[in-house]
Amino acid sequence: MIIECPHCSEDNKIEYAENIRCKKCEKDYKGFEFSKRKIITGTALALLTYVGFHTLNDEIKGYGERYPIAVEYALLDSCINGSTNSISKSNYLSKRDACLCALKDTQEDYPYADYKDNAKGFVPIFRQNAKSCR
């Protein structure tokens, strides 16, 4: 076990025995309690830094204020499949991209708290954003 001397802070490697003394200052450890040091590993520190950075980065980019997934899905489904007419795959993909763009922009302009209070206020902003995304 490695313990730190409470008198001079020198690290000491010891085995369990009586009359244990610091190798530097020769004082004994009688009357002191010791516990293992808790050191955060480099991997854990790197992981925590990575998660913290990306969480902050997502907040800066506006991903922290997204609507719940079920609401996003319903809004996108309604936007993309609102027409009963059949359309080509390329038109569908174009429409999907415009709807995704409009939803992203609308989420920035109209937070979910506002949407919950007044869902009808969402529609004009979404339509305006959809026009600018085409």
Side-chain angles (χ1 to χ4, degrees):
M1 175 192 314
I2 297 176
I3 60 172
E4 183 179 298
C5 175
H7 305 288
C8 67
S9 300
E10 177 73 15
D11 285 343
N12 294 278
K13 184 174 184 178
I14 64 165
E15 294 181 21
Y16 295 104
E18 292 184 24
N19 300 322
I20 300 171
R21 297 182 180 274
C22 174
K23 66 182 177 183
K24 182 178 176 186
C25 70
E26 293 295 322
K27 292 185 180 178
D28 66 21
Y29 299 146
K30 186 176 182 179
F32 292 95
E33 291 183 19
F34 301 96
S35 61
K36 292 183 180 181
R37 295 180 188 163
K38 297 190 188 294
I39 300 174
I40 189 165
T41 64
T43 305
L45 182 61
L47 180 63
L48 289 172
T49 302
Y50 176 81
V51 169
F53 173 76
H54 283 285
T55 301
L56 177 62
N57 199 20
D58 288 349
E59 288 294 327
I60 291 169
K61 289 181 179 177
Y63 298 142
E65 294 296 320
R66 290 185 60 175
Y67 292 15
I69 191 78
V71 174
E72 283 186 5
Y73 179 82
L75 291 169
L76 287 172
D77 184 54
S78 176
C79 176
I80 296 169
N81 299 316
S83 173
T84 57
N85 298 333
S86 296
I87 58 174
S88 68
K89 183 178 179 180
S90 62
N91 284 345
Y92 174 84
L93 295 175
S94 175
K95 190 173 183 182
R96 182 195 66 188
D97 291 342
C99 290
L100 287 168
C101 172
L103 181 60
K104 177 187 167 288
D105 292 347
T106 305
Q107 284 181 352
E108 293 171 5
D109 298 338
Y110 203 74
Y112 182 64
D114 295 344
Y115 177 84
K116 283 193 307 188
D117 292 340
N118 180 14
K120 291 180 181 178
F122 171 89
V123 176
I125 297 169
F126 184 81
R127 283 187 179 148
Q128 183 64 38
N129 287 330
K131 288 177 186 175
S132 65
C133 286
R134 290 183 185 177

